[in-house]
Structures are given as structure tokens and as C-alpha cells.
Amino acid sequence: MSEVIKLKKGFNINLAGKAATQLAEHTPETVAIKFDDFPGLYRPKILVKEGDAVKAGAPLFFDKAIEKVIYASPVSGEVVAVKRGEKRKPIEIVILCDKTTEYVEHRKFTISDIASMSAEDALNHMVGSGVWPQVVQRPYAIVADPDVAPKNIFISTFDTSPLAPDYDFLFKGQEQYFQAGIDVLRKVGKCDVHIGLNAGAEVSKVFGGVKNAKLHKFIGPHPAGNVGVQIHHIDPINKGDVVWTLHPYGVIQIGKLFMEGRYDASKTIAVVGSEVKQPQYYRTVLGANISKLVAGNLKSDHVRYISGNVLCGQKIAADGHIGFYDHMLTVIPEGDKPRFFLTDGWLAPIAKRLSFHRALGLLSFLNGSNKEYVLDTSTNGEERAFVATGTFEQVVPMDILPMHLIKAILANDYDGMEALGIYEVAEEDLALCEFIDVSKQPIQQIIREGINMMRES
Amino acid sequence: MNFLHHLLEKQRPLFEKGGKFERFYYVFEAAETFMFTPPSTTPARGTQIRDAIDLKRMMMTVVVAMLPCLIYGMWNAGHQHYLAIGQEADFMTKFMLGLKHTLPIILVAYAAGGLVETVFAVMRKHPINEGFLVTGMLIPLVMPITIPLWQVAVATIFAVLVAKEVFGGTGMNILNVALTARAFLYFAYPTDISGSVWTLLDGASTVDGYSGATALAIIAETSTAQGSGFTPGAAVAALNGTSWAPGLFSFENLFMGAIPGSIGETSTLMCLIGAAILIATGVGSWKIIVSVFAGAYLTGLLVNAVAVNAYMDLPAHYHLVIGGLAFGAVFMATDPVSAAHTETGKWIYGFFIGFFTVIIRVFNPAYPEGIMLAILLMNVFAPLIDYYVVQANKNRRLSRATV
């Protein structure tokens, strides 16, 4: 094991509404696969229509750019809606769940089968079964192209974002699947698998004993758990490099595919946030509808439902669905109430509200470091030109100049973007910049625009 | 305060698209967002929560940091007046006299700057920026108390227009706006901003031997008079030897700031209090402040070592307390927009401001004060400094690549 990599830059946002370590069952009525969850999709070809019956693992659509990768149904049931937006842009496919799940059956492999099978067979098995979209490639943070060999594979086994679920709890007892997934990935990728462990916690039971992978320990404030940050410190992405990243969930799903012979989309999610009466974990399924999770479980009704964390999650409706890559539902108050400038607005001496900047939070040390904040969705100001300098650099623990990268994107400067590290970042890595920005700029949106520009160039 | 918010909201349709005052939407927006947090919430994608701070709060912190300088400056204006006319007066009398003359300057600067800002916001359909909260306060602080008000207005309009709006507005300017106002007056109306304009006399007769010269002027004069055949310590002796007000230019008094000069920049102590506020709140870059002082001090030592005239012989620590060095270092050099943007760049940027300030003071007979030109000069060079720092980062990334 390599030594602990200490990251100093970053910022922990300590929100109220952490999940208690207790698990309940949640059976959703519907699940949905949302096309916006895959930012790299070129032109999806939908294979099902309303009224079709599908099994769990049956193909729903594929991307015309990478035809062999299928996107599978997480459950068995009836396709009740294929929603489209302007210009027939596909939005989501909604499936009404069966009471008992029927699976598309695949071949089962033993540990020794996995060891002896060819890389090509393993890859074909993965792309045709529905697990492949869990393999995300950098640069660009899009679903990986199975025909491009990666330089490395990276897996972060902890999440430092606000109210993040505890991965040890999330994946309890799934060690053998995780190990099988790592073995498959190593074979398919023909490269090293690097695993980022949390040095600030006890040695993880699920991830700590894994073999055939290189383990790296990280400690530091958010975003130390982001895989992009870990890649930067283990083996940074250069021009021409391609690496794969996976969430441990994806690794386990791959392991289950090979060992159990089925595309298992069940997952545990955390329902958290200051507005949730009983924040805890629920065993449910990928893309689950949230209505039953929130009904009768909220402290107020003027809230925002966020699939994912508060930094890079997405707002969903009260009857919306959890995103493909998300493992949490966060519920926080909407912040559209006016605040008078002298009493609790911009000029008031405020200690109770959270700020990275001491200009507002000079007295916030009085709150102690354990204070849990209730934050709403107010922008707390209007969009302005970039004025402050040097602050973004304090929350990005990478040798990257975020402000200059952002300006290069805004100026359509392709060479500048490339030289300043666009290949190394995804939206989530600069999400804290967006949080702390006094000019209230949409930083993550700008980063994605930059990534799209580079992909199209 | 809900009734006020309802009242404002009622007017909103008038200013929105299709409304009678559609053109003035951003004037309405400015008024509303000044008083109330905007109802805007975060978009569906991206960060769903935002830091509690906004730009107004940041800018206001700078204004708060300037208050010690302003209050001291008002008192000092009165103090210098009564000193020059040889009368005794209590604290409040001095302060009120200063207030009487300073307040109109502040009001004019805010009104003129705000007017230009509003006109451009309406023309360009962009929100009114908070930058003028700071500019409107900085400009009065670097003016002599005797400045005609119309010149304040002209200089402010010129500065906001030429140093800021032509570059695209707040956040885009290359030059420090407040310093541009001062430089404009220095070149356009030199008689009103140099020589004996620093003390408010109001036509009263002065004490015997009174001279309105500043410390910098006295040193420059001594140096010129003595030429290269100078006696060591002559500059300090000349400062201590002014007869009309004993101890006026002693080191302690130079540090405290009860000396003739621009309204807000005479007191190094007050500037340091401002610096403490800026640094504690993280609004001003401590790197720039420290490096300006370090640059000036080290350059002072350097010219001491090779001194061939009285000015070069002036002890290095005097450079830190005379003139506007402290004020410039704390409030002007730290302007985040016109300063270097990279953290390494800030060290270099500040150091050269200190360096050029002393160089200009010592070697350029045309300008008794160097900080203004040094900052403006380094404003122009800041992008170049950043360019090389950014280039170094790019090269690091490039050197890793094998393709």
C-alpha cells in the first residue's frame, strides 16, 4: 500500500439530515432511465415502445455512436412512457415494475472461469448485458468506448460530498462481487486497477482486502473522494490518454453479472437532507420513483428534491426518479423567500449561515466545526462578472488553475483549455467552485460546454 | 419588512418585458436586490446550494475596511487646518470641519460614478455592478481636501468611463479605476492636486513659517538643494527640522498620519487596521500587501547602499510611512480585477509595485509620489505576469504527456 496522500485544499459542507445507519425496503411503482444522465450520448436509438413488456436486463436503447453497448431495463415490467421533448429529443423511458422481477438469464461464471476466459469474451458479455454504462471514461466523463483501451482504471471507494452515503454500509457483504468485478475489469482493461481508499476512516471491510488492484489512501476535505482528484494524484490524464472510472456500485454490478448470471440493478440509496423526517437508507432499484420515499416523510412541503448530492445533483419532481449514477436523494428547502438586507440579508452580521468566505463567516468559528447547517436553494445573490480571484484555487486540490480554465472555455480557446487541464476534470471536480463563487456563475455548466467543445473539435 | 417587499413586487410588471419602464429593468433590479435577497433559486442542474456571500457583501467589506482611514482623514483635515492657522481646537471641532468638507466629495464621487454605471447598465442591458461601492469611496480618499467638487465629478466620470466601461465594465478593467481618477486630475489639473493643496486654509492667515509641503516634497527639495555633495542623514534632519510645527514629520507622526496629504492616505496605522480587516475577512490578498511593503523596504535598503544624494540616503523604513504607500498597498494594489490573478503572480506584482514606488520617488524629480504610477504601471504588466505563471502550469501538464 502506498502512503497516505494528504489533500489540504477543499471544503466540507456539513449539512443537517444525515442518514441513520438503518435500512428499509422500498419497492417503487415505476422506474425510469433518463437520457440526460448520460451526457455523452450521441444519438440514442430506442428499442421499446409504450406497452412493451420487458425483463430486467432487456435492452431499452443504444447509442448510434457505440452500437454494441446496450442500456438495459433495471426491472421487469411494462414500458408505460417513452417521453420526448422538443424536436423529439428523448427525455426518459418509464417502466411500470412487476411484483416479482424476471431477469434476462446470462451464463454464470465461477471465479476460475473468470480467470480463464478471454478478455474479448468478457467485454462482449459486459456490453451486451447492461452493465457497461457504469464504465465512465475520462477525459470527458462519458460512457466509455469499449473499443478504446484504457491506460488505467480508477475506483474511488468513498464519497466526501455533503450528506454522502457511507459506502461500507451501502455495499455491506458484497466483497465477493466487488472482487469478481475487479478481476473482470483488470482482464477487460488489460491495465492496472487503482482503488482510492479513505484514510480518514476505519479500513473498509468491503474494499480494504481487495486483491489484484493497487490501493491508494486519501485524506482531506471534499472533493478528496472524487475520482478525478484521485486520478490527478495517482497518474494524471495527459493528452491522448483514456482512463476508465467506476463507482463501486458498477464494479459490484459487473461482479454480480458474472457470478449470478443476471443484470442486477438493485441498489441501496440514502434519503437525506434537512427536510426529511427520518433520513436513512433504503434498498430499492436503479432509477426508482421517489414518491413513496417522500410521502409522509417530510417536515415541510416547499422543498426541492435532488437526485444525488447538493453540489452536483439534479432537481427532480416529487414523483420523479433517481438518476442512473446517483445513490442518494437529498431534500432541502426551496430558497425563494426574500430576506431584508439589514436583518438577514447581505449586509447583516450573520454567523449562522454557511460561507466559505470569511467576509461573511468571520464569526462562524463560534458555531464550532460540528455545526450542521440547513441550506436552501437561494442563490444568495445575482450573477455577476468574475471579480474575486484566488478563491477557486483553494477548493480544487489539483495543480489546475480553475479560473483560467473557465475563462479559456468562455473564450472558446481550445489550445488553452487543453493546456489548462480540461481532460482532467468533470463537472463534479469544480462543483465547489460553483458553490463558493461570489459572482454566482454556472461553473459546472461551463465545464460541460468546454468538454463538449473538445469532443466536437 | 414584508410590506416593503410586496410594494416592490407590485412595481415589477412595469419594469419587466413589455412594461412601461422596460428599459430601466436593471435600475429596478438594483434597488430591489439591494434591499432584499433576490427570489432566484439555483437551476435544476448544477450546484443546488450556494454560499451565503455575494459580491455586494464583499465590496462592502472593503468599504468597511476604509472607514478607519476615512474617519481619521476627516479629523486630520480639521487638525491640519487648525495647526496651520495656529489655533487650538478640540477633537469634535476638527472632525466636524473635516466632515463638512469631505462629505460633499464622497457624495459627488458616488453620484457621478453611480450615474455612469446606471447609464451603461440601461444601455447595455446588464445589471448595475457593485464595484462602484468601492470606487466611490476610494476616489475621495485619494483627493486633497481642497479639491473643487466639479473636478471630483469630472475625474470620476472619466475614470469609470475610460478605465472601466470601455473595457466592458466591472471585472474587465485593466487599470485601477480610482487611481485613474487621481492620475487624470494629476495630469489635467496639476495645480489643484499638487503643491500646497493638502491643507484646508479657507482663506485664514497662517502661522509664521507655514509651509504646506508634504514630507515627500521636503525630502525631494532637500535632495535637490544638496545635490551629490550630501550629508548623511540630511533627509531625516530636514523632516525633523521644519520649524512651523515641531515634530510634524517625526517618524512617529508620519506613522500616525497627522500630516498634510490626501484625505485618507496619510495614516499608515489606519491603513494597517484596514489591512487587518481585509486580511481577516480574506477579501484582500495578504500576499500583495506584504510584497508591496517588502518590495519598497528592500528597494529602500538597496538605494541606501549606493546612496549618492540625500533622497537615496533616506532610511528605508521611512519609505513605508511617507506618502501613500500604505494606502496604495492595502486598498489599491489589492484590487482583484486589475492586480495579478494568479497566486504566484501576486507576489511578483506586489513586489514590483513596492520597487517602482521607491525608484520613482528617488529618481524621478517630476513626481514626488511614486505609488500611484507604480500601481498603474503594474496594472498594465499584471496580465503579462499571469501569462508566465499560467504558462508554467501549462508546461508542467505538457511535460507529463508522452504523445
Side-chain angles (χ1 to χ4, degrees):
Chain A
M1 170 127 15
S2 58
E3 58 190 71
V4 176
I5 299 170
K6 285 184 189 150
L7 304 177
K8 285 189 185 145
K9 293 176 176 179
F11 186 55
N12 280 332
I13 300 172
N14 197 14
L15 294 187
K18 289 188 179 63
T21 48
Q22 59 188 34
L23 192 62
E25 291 294 328
H26 166 249
T27 320
E29 277 166 7
T30 58
V31 299
I33 295 292
K34 295 180 276 190
F35 291 85
D36 272 355
D37 287 343
F38 312 100
L41 277 188
Y42 165 66
R43 208 188 312 154
K45 167 80 180 162
I46 298 173
L47 302 168
V48 291
K49 55 185 187 300
E50 283 175 21
D52 283 359
V54 288
K55 285 184 177 178
L60 294 179
F61 67 93
F62 64 83
D63 184 4
K64 283 183 176 167
I66 319 173
E67 292 199 357
K68 60 182 168 186
V69 174
I70 68 139
Y71 293 74
S73 171
V75 291
S76 65
E78 183 193 339
V79 177
V80 285
V82 179
K83 289 186 189 161
R84 288 177 182 273
E86 277 178 32
K87 296 182 183 170
R88 293 189 49 76
K89 181 180 180 281
I91 306 287
E92 63 178 0
I93 299 175
V94 186
I95 298 157
L96 186 67
C97 307
D98 284 344
K99 286 221 164 63
T100 49
T101 309
E102 284 181 51
Y103 293 91
V104 173
E105 295 298 330
H106 297 283
R107 195 187 139 191
K108 285 184 189 176
F109 296 83
T110 60
I111 301 290
S112 56
D113 288 342
I114 293 173
S116 61
M117 77 190 300
S118 75
E120 205 184 349
D121 286 349
L123 180 83
N124 287 335
H125 196 48
M126 281 169 74
V127 294
S129 64
V131 296
W132 187 264
Q134 296 288 347
V135 185
V136 172
Q137 77 155 60
R138 298 266 180 128
Y140 311 140
I142 54 173
V143 172
D145 183 344
D147 292 330
V148 181
K151 184 184 167 202
N152 284 304
I153 298 172
F154 294 93
I155 298 151
S156 169
T157 64
F158 66 106
D159 190 347
T160 44
S161 58
L163 299 173
D166 174 6
Y167 284 7
D168 266 2
F169 188 79
L170 229 50
F171 306 118
K172 207 171 170 181
Q174 313 217 31
E175 292 87 337
Q176 78 276 26
Y177 298 125
F178 189 73
Q179 183 62 57
I182 296 289
D183 293 342
V184 172
L185 282 168
R186 209 159 168 253
K187 181 176 286 288
V188 173
K190 297 172 192 148
C191 60
D192 286 332
V193 177
H194 297 272
I195 293 181
L197 296 170
N198 186 4
E202 282 177 38
V203 178
S204 155
K205 280 186 188 141
V206 192
F207 313 115
V210 71
K211 297 182 200 76
N212 301 328
K214 293 186 173 171
L215 304 183
H216 307 268
K217 282 193 164 183
F218 288 87
I219 191 163
H222 183 66
N226 279 15
V227 73
V229 172
Q230 297 179 2
I231 296 172
H232 183 86
H233 290 276
I234 297 168
D235 188 2
I237 303 165
N238 304 308
K239 187 183 180 182
D241 289 348
V242 168
V243 304
W244 291 349
T245 68
L246 284 98
H247 192 276
Y249 174 75
V251 182
I252 288 167
Q253 211 182 28
I254 293 167
K256 280 182 181 167
L257 171 73
F258 280 80
M259 293 180 76
E260 306 286 334
R262 58 173 60 159
Y263 172 65
D264 184 351
S266 63
K267 69 157 70 166
T268 304
I269 64 161
V271 177
V272 293
S274 58
E275 300 312 289
V276 180
K277 271 188 198 159
Q278 229 179 355
Q280 64 169 55
Y281 293 87
Y282 291 87
R283 201 197 317 274
T284 180
V285 69
L286 190 152
N289 183 296
I290 64 161
S291 359
K292 282 207 284 184
L293 286 173
V294 294
N297 193 15
L298 296 181
K299 292 178 190 165
S300 59
D301 55 355
H302 194 47
V303 295
R304 178 172 295 194
Y305 306 96
I306 302 158
S307 171
N309 64 55
V310 287
L311 286 179
C312 38
Q314 194 188 357
K315 174 184 173 181
I316 55 174
D319 59 348
H321 298 83
I322 298 281
F324 187 85
Y325 295 106
D326 295 330
H327 298 265
M328 61 195 291
L329 168 69
T330 316
V331 189
I332 56 171
E334 279 287 7
D336 50 1
K337 294 182 198 74
R339 291 197 304 268
F340 188 59
F341 78 115
L342 286 176
T343 52
D344 53 356
W346 64 274
L347 198 54
I350 314 160
K352 63 179 184 202
R353 306 229 325 273
L354 177 69
S355 176
F356 173 76
H357 303 270
R358 291 194 305 272
L360 195 129
L362 191 62
L363 301 173
S364 60
F365 68 91
L366 296 173
N367 296 327
S369 57
N370 293 328
K371 180 179 163 71
E372 292 181 343
Y373 293 87
V374 175
L375 262 59
D376 61 27
T377 61
S378 170
T379 50
N380 293 319
E382 312 80 44
E383 193 170 317
R384 291 286 184 260
F386 286 118
V387 170
T389 62
T391 49
F392 289 177
E393 284 77 4
Q394 293 170 32
V395 292
V396 180
M398 298 162 127
D399 183 19
I400 274 180
L401 300 168
M403 178 68 96
H404 290 85
L405 175 60
I406 291 160
K407 287 190 174 175
I409 296 170
L410 292 174
N412 293 0
D413 172 9
Y414 287 78
D415 291 340
M417 277 189 261
E418 189 176 294
L420 287 164
I422 189 86
Y423 297 135
E424 296 192 55
V425 296
E427 293 100 314
E428 59 174 13
D429 300 324
L430 276 82
L432 270 175
C433 297
E434 187 167 310
F435 174 74
I436 66 162
D437 184 16
V438 288
S439 305
K440 313 292 176 187
Q441 297 268 345
I443 309 282
Q444 294 188 76
Q445 188 192 320
I446 296 170
I447 292 292
R448 182 46 69 181
E449 279 163 17
I451 288 175
N452 288 341
M453 277 155 64
M454 293 309 288
R455 286 187 70 204
E456 286 155 15
S457 68
Chain B
M1 284 299 153
N2 270 351
F3 75 97
L4 193 59
H5 188 252
H6 287 308
L7 192 72
L8 274 166
E9 279 301 304
K10 260 191 190 165
Q11 316 307 320
R12 182 180 277 278
L14 285 176
F15 293 91
E16 280 179 336
K17 219 170 171 149
K20 204 169 161 187
F21 305 117
E22 184 188 331
R23 284 173 70 85
F24 300 102
Y25 174 74
Y26 285 110
V27 179
F28 170 78
E29 194 241 16
E32 189 180 26
T33 56
F34 186 86
M35 280 190 280
F36 294 97
T37 314
S40 55
T41 54
T42 51
R45 266 188 176 273
T47 304
Q48 309 278 325
I49 52 172
R50 292 299 196 121
D51 196 292
I53 201 169
D54 70 347
L55 202 54
K56 279 200 264 295
R57 176 78 174 208
M58 245 184 118
M59 294 294 182
M60 198 45 107
T61 311
V62 184
V63 175
V64 170
M66 281 189 276
L67 289 180
C69 283
L70 175 72
I71 292 165
Y72 186 88
M74 287 176 177
W75 169 80
N76 187 42
H79 177 68
Q80 293 302 319
H81 171 78
Y82 287 106
L83 199 63
I85 63 171
Q87 283 181 16
E88 291 286 320
D90 61 12
F91 176 85
M92 271 321 276
T93 315
K94 290 175 182 174
F95 179 79
M96 291 312 287
L97 181 70
L99 180 74
K100 193 180 121 194
H101 285 82
T102 311
L103 208 55
I105 303 178
I106 296 173
L107 292 177
V108 167
Y110 268 120
L115 181 74
V116 180
E117 190 72 58
T118 310
V119 167
F120 271 86
V122 169
M123 261 168 47
R124 288 202 183 128
K125 297 189 171 52
H126 71 58
I128 295 174
N129 275 299
E130 290 84 358
F132 83 98
L133 282 177
V134 173
T135 313
M137 183 63 97
L138 270 177
I139 291 175
L141 290 185
V142 293
M143 294 290 158
I145 188 85
T146 58
I147 193 83
L149 290 179
W150 65 270
Q151 285 187 12
V152 177
V154 171
T156 308
I157 291 170
F158 174 86
V160 177
L161 210 64
V162 173
K164 192 164 84 173
E165 295 300 348
V166 293
F167 290 105
T170 302
M172 321 272 190
N173 47 310
I174 293 171
L175 299 176
N176 184 304
V177 184
L179 271 183
T180 307
R182 164 119 177 216
F184 170 78
L185 288 184
Y186 192 86
F187 292 109
Y189 303 100
T191 49
D192 291 310
I193 200 164
S194 58
S196 302
V197 299
W198 309 105
T199 308
L200 182 71
L201 293 174
D202 263 354
S205 56
T206 58
V207 292
D208 283 349
Y210 163 79
S211 135
T214 61
L216 288 164
I218 291 167
I219 302 165
E221 217 169 87
T222 312
S223 190
T224 317
Q226 291 203 336
S228 55
F230 76 104
T231 45
V236 177
L239 285 176
N240 289 330
T242 43
S243 58
W244 75 274
L248 184 64
F249 294 118
S250 68
F251 185 80
E252 292 74 26
N253 208 35
L254 286 169
F255 177 75
M256 290 304 294
I259 50 171
S262 296
I263 296 169
E265 66 179 24
T266 57
S267 172
T268 309
L269 178 67
M270 295 302 141
C271 293
L272 289 179
I273 294 172
I277 296 172
L278 289 184
I279 292 170
T281 53
V283 172
S285 166
W286 64 271
K287 292 175 186 167
I288 294 179
I289 298 174
V290 169
S291 61
V292 172
F293 280 111
Y297 187 69
L298 292 176
T299 312
L301 288 180
L302 184 76
V303 293
N304 282 171
V306 293
V308 293
N309 62 33
Y311 213 147
M312 290 173 80
D313 184 53
L314 181 74
H317 58 278
Y318 269 80
H319 279 292
L320 307 184
V321 295
I322 53 173
L325 186 112
F327 189 85
V330 175
F331 297 110
M332 300 287 194
T334 52
D335 166 18
V337 176
S338 57
H341 293 177
T342 54
E343 295 306 292
T344 318
K346 284 173 184 171
W347 286 113
I348 303 166
Y349 170 80
F351 185 86
F352 276 105
I353 288 176
F355 172 78
F356 281 121
T357 303
V358 173
I359 294 295
I360 293 170
R361 277 179 182 176
V362 172
F363 293 109
N364 194 331
Y367 303 110
E369 174 57 301
I371 185 86
M372 172 180 78
L373 289 177
I375 294 177
L376 287 175
L377 180 70
M378 290 314 293
N379 280 169
V380 177
F381 279 107
L384 186 72
I385 297 171
D386 280 341
Y387 172 82
Y388 283 107
V389 176
V390 172
Q391 207 58 35
N393 180 281
K394 287 178 176 176
N395 290 342
R396 268 200 298 281
R397 196 160 283 104
L398 221 58
S399 67
R400 294 191 322 231
T402 47
V403 193

